[in-house]
Amino acid sequence: SRVITLKENTAEVTWPVMPDLRQARRAGREVQIHGEEDTRVVTVRTPDTSDQQRYHFQRQPCWTLVKREDQSI
């Protein structure tokens, strides 16, 4: 699998960064949320494909998206 990490100026980011999770589930995508006290990772994937994205959040003190990974081939 290939991981691509990009650092972007927030003014240049296309919003929304993360899909609406309810809509993603209705479209057949799987959503997993895991993490510890001050971190969360939201994984959104399409079953039986390489289509997978991960969104990393940290509480700073508000929840903040700190990293986005597209692990699709």
Side-chain angles (χ1 to χ4, degrees):
S1 100
R2 181 178 69 160
V3 176
I4 298 172
T5 303
L6 301 173
K7 293 187 178 192
E8 298 184 44
N9 180 333
T10 56
E12 298 172 6
V13 173
T14 302
W15 300 94
V17 175
M18 189 170 132
D20 179 292
L21 299 181
R22 281 179 268 162
Q23 288 180 354
R25 286 182 178 118
R26 281 196 297 265
R29 301 192 77 198
E30 294 177 353
V31 176
Q32 299 173 339
I33 301 171
H34 51 87
E36 311 233 342
E37 187 172 312
D38 290 334
T39 64
R40 295 288 186 279
V41 177
V42 178
T43 302
V44 182
R45 63 181 297 273
T46 304
D48 303 319
T49 72
S50 69
D51 182 20
Q52 177 170 293
Q53 294 79 39
R54 285 192 174 153
Y55 303 88
H56 299 258
F57 293 88
Q58 285 184 331
R59 193 180 319 211
Q60 315 178 339
C62 296
W63 286 103
T64 304
L65 177 65
V66 294
K67 182 178 177 182
R68 179 185 181 276
E69 295 177 279
D70 187 342
Q71 298 181 329
S72 304
I73 293 178

